[in-house]
Amino acid sequence: MYAFDIERPETIAEAVAALGGEAQALGGGQTLIPTLKARLASPDKLVSLSSISEMQGIRLEGRDLWIGGATVHADVANDGTYAALSDLAAHIGDPAVRNRGTIGGSIANNDPAACYPAAALGSGATIVTNTREIAADDFFQGMFDTALNEEEIITAVKFPIPEVANYQKFVQPASRFALVGVFVAKYADGVRVAVTGASNEGVHRWSAAEDALSSNFSAGALDGLSVPSGNMIADLHGSPDYRAHLVKVMTGRAVAQAS
Amino acid sequence: MPKDSGIGAATLRREDVRFLTGKGQYSDDINLFGQVAAVFARSTVANGKINSIDTTTAAAMPGVLAIFTGEDFAEVGGNPAGWLINSRDGTPMHEPKRPVLAHGKVRHVGDAYAAVIAETAEQAQNAVEAIEADIEELPAVVNMKDALSGSNFVHDEIGTNQCFDWGWIEDNRAATDAAIKGAHHVTTLELVNNRLVPNAMEPRCSMAQYNSATDEYVLHTTSQNPHLTRLLISAFVLGIPENKLTVIAPDVGGGFGSKIYHYGEEALVLAAAKKLGRPVKWTANRTEAFLTDAHGRDHVTKIELALDAEGNFLAFRTETMANVGAYLSNFSTATPTFLHGTLMAGNYTVPNVYVNVKAVFTNTAPVDAYRGAGRPEATYSLERVIDKAARELGMDPIALRRKNFVKPDQYPFASAAGLEYDSGNYDALMDKMEEVADLAGFAARRKESEAKGLLRGFGVNAYIEACGIAPSNLVGVLGSRVGLYDAATVRVNATGNLSVMVGAHSHGQGHETAFPQVVAEMLGIDASVIDIVHGDTSKIPFGMGTYGSRSLAVCGSAVVRATEKIINKAKKIAAHMLEASDADIELKEGVFSVAGTDRSVSFGEVALKAYIPHDFPLEDIEPGLEETAFYDPANFTYPSGAYCCEVELDPETGKVRVDRFAAVDDFGNVINPMIVTGQVHGGLGQGIGQALLENTTYDENGQLLSASYMDYTMPRADDLPFYAVDHSQGNPCTHNPLGVKGCGEAGAIGSPPTIVNAVIDAMQSGGKNVTHIDMPVTPHRVWSAMQNV
């Protein structure tokens, strides 16, 4: 780790003021701190978001579940209002990760194998920042790439609560990130299916499955579908064909277990 | 004798109090006044020519005290191989000595070419990044087949990547070939025994001190055998006289073989401590552990099993390529040969065995002994090909094994691979296994799995291994450059408590609990007054350390011999005190008495008398009560076992879950059954890790792709089943005083083929004619195998 300064602002406004230059926002640090330890990043300054009370907490806002950007996974896991989301949060990393890692940090990082991006995209969530609101469909722009500008902070994420939903994660055995994760959510106006872990494009929707499931919400509705493997990830843990296969299997299981 | 502290008692491990409360003292916990830090500059390429190393900028950076490069060690000795192997044609193996720091060339990713010593580790790391090294990347030799056929050499001066081409037993070759040629049936299997990264919880750490007034060095280091490390440094690498060098291996957080060997970092910190006159510490980070600890396994093997029409084994013939990496680690040449080829008759009366092993240099980390060391490779090859043969012949895999087992009345049994098994009863182990595993219930459990859409497979395995390495006279003939005895000193203190100094080193084995149980049993006193001293060459006699499941069988035997001497002398003292003849003194429950009388003295009274010898007849009895014994075994010990497991396989994803596992082992006599069970659990965890999870992958450029826990899968608790472990079927070793055989590696030896056999059975039960799958049996591999048939 190289030396750096750290600031701990208590308001969003102070945090924005502290960012700029080579400063780097620090959420729960579950990705950033190991990166710093490995000397793979050298920010002059870290701006910790964990003392900002207005970015904490979980509450119902109309039909949306509002989750502060600095809320840790363990709190989401324990909330239970949106059962599929809580279940997803309960299976991220290990207890240490869940008690430090934050939803805003995970979504801003947009790791192609992370769980939260699938929930946000699969729920049609709204990403709230210090300057604007961004629809999940516009937010995720490829591996580790998002619509966030420099010095923009995710202050909250708003999840419309679906009729039923489920997340199925087939873990990469070493990291236990998603080798393939599929989030399925059924709303009055249709079904959304978001896939993480599988694609070189990062989290994405499987529109053919959404169409099929919107007219017939059962695993059998997927029978005639196949997932193209062309853009799937190839690595030590799975080939593109295997990942494409798992997308379909996990989608079917998510539908079968949606509640 | 209190039943809760002698032989056979499941005494809780006394060392766990300090381990579990954070009071352990590991090398990195030790900090000395004036201590400075060493950090190494390591190659990022697998093969490269060092054109120049410019340290000017780095040397001027804050806190930097010294920078070493390979040039600084060009004149000192190299780290040798501990075992000389001759090729089939009689020529000795190629043996490039490993320098302290790479010089001229770097040969694997992680190969250290420079070291910076600075006031702090952070300053040293900063300076390492400022070293300007012009290293010209050369094509890497990674794949063993390419290494043997190509003209790109890891060591140019050798002119081949073949370290040796070994045949065992060369005189058996023609008969084995003939048996295979004329056989009713031959089953052939090509397999890979996957490379493993040891991943001890505690990374390596070495700290050196130098005292210029006395010219003495002290090295604290993560070692399984401090005397061996000292010998290597003194005799081969730095030439520091042994009487001027103390090596201390304090608490060590796991070794699994990787801490047997002397590494260059130990020599570097010693040289730096002398140059600077300050203590110098280096502690590996996890990446360094992945890149530079000696790895394990990495064999590519073709094995053939010849059978007659009745299923009798006629011959095993094996061709193996064994990766030794870029340099020969200390026991890298023994592991694929005498610890592997000699076991290739297994538990069987097979008359013909021939093994050919080619050891191959590659631009990868060195490969050496890892929990089991050669025997897991032998067992895996044998037990996989036997299973395949059973399937081809339509025979029950248990019945086929039983048919060929050595029978209890055949001991001592001379195996076709050159060992003499002293004791065992493989059918009894199999009987017990069938009982504890509830084999009768398998069909019902398979039905339950199938109702859930899962395939259930059953896998079985019988193993024998050779432990307690080893008779010095035998290994000397076979090429070992060291003796393999061990040593113990038993010191009875004046107040009746004991310090037992042992050559074995405990880094997870529970010696501090088990060894006192032996002494307590012999003396009839409570184990709580006996302490073990280990790990410090200035305190312990010259023993060879801990590996190869040897501690109790070899060092424990030395403890017995030394304690026998204590008893003999104590009887003399007691006889003097009781005015009786030595021959009439009996020791029972810690009391010396004159046979047939009520005259007695306690052990404590004798101990005190030994040190206050006011009235000793000094021509007959020396003062004091301290004895040393060296013990050199007559043979290896031969633990054996019958293992089975059931797996559930999800045909949609390829995911395999181990549902049940039964391990029935013959360890001979058992000193502490709880520790033995724990050792089996640990071994099973590592074996299941090898079978299902752990994969070390280098790409074609020699980059280690699985260089962190993000990609290298260590077994976790939820990957492992509850185990049924049984060691009730012990047949005592016939040639050591405790009748013990060794239990540290069995689990890692017996479990991989058990798992893979079960996975094959599961796939077969799903109608997929998959006959082999290589480890680790990952979901992706299983799914792919099932797609391709």
Side-chain angles (χ1 to χ4, degrees), chain A residues 1-3 39 111 170-177 235-239 241-243 245-246 249-250 253, chain B residues 122 125-126 129 650-655 693 697 705-706 709-713 716 718-719 779-780 783:
Chain A
M1 198 177 276
Y2 298 105
R39 293 191 159 199
D111 187 305
F170 191 82
V171 299
Q172 192 261 54
S175 70
R176 296 205 174 171
F177 274 66
D235 65 12
L236 288 180
H237 308 285
S239 64
D241 283 349
Y242 182 52
R243 281 189 163 86
H245 167 78
L246 286 177
V249 172
M250 292 298 123
R253 291 182 181 185
Chain B
E122 191 178 15
Q125 181 67 48
N126 290 341
E129 291 173 11
D650 179 345
E652 282 194 322
T653 64
K655 170 85 176 159
L693 303 168
T697 307
L705 300 181
S706 52
Y709 295 134
M710 291 299 280
D711 284 302
Y712 188 92
T713 315
R716 290 172 235 194
D718 64 353
D719 292 314
H780 180 214
W783 179 80

Side-chain angles (χ1 to χ4, degrees), chain B residues 381-438:
Chain B
S381 298
L382 289 168
E383 295 297 315
R384 281 288 303 123
V385 78
I386 292 168
D387 228 62
K388 187 165 183 249
R391 211 167 278 286
E392 288 174 357
L393 296 170
M395 292 185 69
D396 174 75
I398 293 177
L400 180 61
R401 287 176 170 87
R402 284 182 183 272
K403 187 177 187 68
N404 289 281
F405 276 163
V406 176
K407 298 299 176 190
D409 61 359
Q410 289 179 287
Y411 295 98
F413 180 80
S415 91
L419 295 176
E420 187 179 282
Y421 303 164
D422 66 328
S423 63
N425 187 339
Y426 310 141
D427 279 303
L429 292 167
M430 201 60 98
D431 293 343
K432 189 73 183 173
M433 181 206 81
E434 294 188 23
E435 175 195 327
V436 303
D438 179 29

Side-chain angles (χ1 to χ4, degrees), chain B residues 264-575:
Chain B
E265 291 90 348
E266 293 170 325
L268 186 287
V269 294
L270 283 163
K274 180 173 187 181
K275 179 171 178 173
L276 297 172
R278 295 174 69 177
V280 178
K281 183 196 278 185
W282 165 75
T283 304
N285 60 35
R286 187 55 68 181
T287 302
E288 287 179 294
F290 268 100
L291 295 176
T292 69
D293 288 358
H295 293 176
R297 317 284 193 257
D298 207 349
H299 286 194
V300 175
T301 290
K302 177 184 172 188
I303 181 166
E304 293 157 289
L305 163 58
L307 306 97
D308 70 14
E310 283 74 50
N312 294 303
F313 297 167
L314 303 177
F316 287 107
R317 183 169 64 190
T318 307
E319 289 172 31
T320 287
M321 287 186 293
N323 203 334
V324 290
Y327 301 98
L328 294 180
S329 177
N330 298 133
F331 288 102
S332 60
T333 54
T335 301
T337 54
F338 291 105
L339 298 177
H340 164 244
T342 54
L343 275 300
M344 287 305 294
N347 310 41
Y348 308 106
T349 53
V350 58
N352 299 293
V353 171
Y354 179 72
V355 182
N356 173 237
V357 178
K358 295 181 174 72
V360 185
F361 290 110
T362 59
N363 290 118
T364 63
V367 182
D368 206 325
Y370 168 80
R371 201 169 194 167
R375 294 100 81 203
E377 294 91 320
T379 300
Y380 184 70
S381 298
L382 289 168
E383 295 297 315
R384 281 288 303 123
V385 78
I386 292 168
D387 228 62
K388 187 165 183 249
R391 211 167 278 286
E392 288 174 357
L393 296 170
M395 292 185 69
D396 174 75
I398 293 177
L400 180 61
R401 287 176 170 87
R402 284 182 183 272
K403 187 177 187 68
N404 289 281
F405 276 163
V406 176
K407 298 299 176 190
D409 61 359
Q410 289 179 287
Y411 295 98
F413 180 80
S415 91
L419 295 176
E420 187 179 282
Y421 303 164
D422 66 328
S423 63
N425 187 339
Y426 310 141
D427 279 303
L429 292 167
M430 201 60 98
D431 293 343
K432 189 73 183 173
M433 181 206 81
E434 294 188 23
E435 175 195 327
V436 303
D438 179 29
L439 241 58
F442 173 72
R445 290 191 292 273
R446 173 170 272 178
K447 275 207 172 115
E448 282 174 31
S449 298
E450 287 171 352
K452 294 184 287 181
L454 302 173
L455 302 172
R456 180 172 288 262
F458 173 77
V460 67
N461 164 64
Y463 80 86
I464 183 167
E465 61 139 333
C467 283
I469 182 168
S472 294
N473 57 10
L474 174 61
V475 297
V477 171
L478 299 179
S480 172
R481 288 161 166 163
V482 292
L484 286 166
Y485 49 83
D486 220 287
T489 297
V490 177
R491 177 181 297 157
V492 181
N493 298 314
T495 51
N497 47 52
L498 285 82
S499 303
V500 181
M501 283 63 81
V502 294
H505 185 275
S506 190
H507 38 277
Q509 293 84 353
H511 297 171
E512 293 171 35
T513 302
F515 282 25
Q517 290 181 247
V518 172
V519 179
E521 179 82 22
M522 293 178 70
L523 297 177
I525 61 177
D526 195 274
S528 64
V529 302
I530 304 164
D531 271 326
I532 295 299
V533 177
H534 65 99
D536 182 338
T537 59
S538 69
K539 295 177 179 170
I540 62 172
F542 194 117
M544 296 304 290
T546 289
Y547 40 82
S549 304
R550 71 191 304 273
S551 297
L552 196 57
V554 186
C555 189
S557 296
V559 170
V560 171
R561 293 284 186 254
T563 306
E564 286 168 352
K565 292 183 187 179
I566 291 286
I567 292 170
N568 286 340
K569 180 162 182 194
K571 281 183 174 174
K572 272 189 155 183
I573 296 170

Side-chain angles (χ1 to χ4, degrees), chain B residues 176-235:
Chain B
T176 304
D177 290 348
I180 287 173
K181 203 169 180 186
H184 168 75
H185 184 86
V186 178
T187 296
T188 304
L189 180 62
E190 294 186 32
L191 56 86
V192 174
N193 205 291
N194 46 324
R195 180 188 275 240
L196 303 172
V197 178
N199 279 311
M201 197 182 297
E202 181 202 18
R204 288 190 290 122
C205 172
S206 300
M207 176 166 62
Q209 300 163 251
Y210 175 71
N211 183 333
S212 60
T214 58
D215 198 29
E216 289 175 330
Y217 298 79
V218 178
L219 176 67
H220 284 84
T221 193
T222 45
S223 174
Q224 300 177 215
N225 32 236
H227 267 297
L228 191 55
T229 297
R230 186 176 76 168
L231 179 64
L232 286 163
I233 293 169
S234 294

Side-chain angles (χ1 to χ4, degrees), chain A residues 215 224 244:
Chain A
S215 55

